[in-house]
Amino acid sequence: AARGVDTSAVSTHIGCALGSAAVSTLCVSPVDVVRTRLYNQPVGSQWYASGVDAALQLARTEGPFAFYKGALSHYLRLGPHMVLVFGFLEQLKSFRARAVSRKCGS
């Protein structure tokens, strides 16, 4: 019996898509939280001098988990999106492969 992952299985595509969404969320959330803090400071006030200053103040006052505020909602939006993207991509690849094999076979 062959060992490994069945690359044509739908469950493999779903798992890869959800894993991809998780990695993306983990990487993007801290930057997104800092950017949101900068955008939401009142006009004319300088709570933060820069993005680095905002990140340092956030870490100092609220701790490291503050960088992941809203990460679950981001993942719940991105996860299904990635499942659909990977699903459609794999379907298009299989349609193309069948069309090429039919063309070469005839």
Side-chain angles (χ1 to χ4, degrees):
R3 297 187 70 159
V5 176
D6 180 8
T7 59
S8 64
V10 173
S11 60
T12 302
H13 300 155
I14 291 172
C16 288
L18 294 175
S20 158
V23 170
S24 176
T25 301
L26 287 174
C27 293
V28 172
S29 282
V31 176
D32 194 41
V33 168
V34 170
R35 182 186 57 151
T36 301
R37 294 290 176 107
L38 286 171
Y39 288 168
N40 288 334
Q41 66 183 339
V43 176
S45 70
Q46 285 294 339
W47 289 349
Y48 310 111
S50 66
V52 173
D53 179 50
L56 291 172
Q57 285 189 43
L58 183 63
R60 194 169 34 250
T61 58
E62 298 180 44
F65 291 113
F67 290 103
Y68 293 97
K69 286 183 176 182
L72 180 60
S73 61
H74 184 77
Y75 178 76
L76 291 175
R77 178 178 55 85
L78 190 59
H81 171 80
M82 296 301 275
V83 167
L84 291 174
V85 166
F86 276 108
F88 287 131
L89 177 65
E90 292 301 322
Q91 287 300 310
L92 288 173
K93 284 170 53 178
S94 71
F95 290 148
R96 182 176 183 273
R98 283 192 298 244
V100 168
S101 69
R102 271 192 234 126
K103 184 177 179 181
C104 293
S106 54

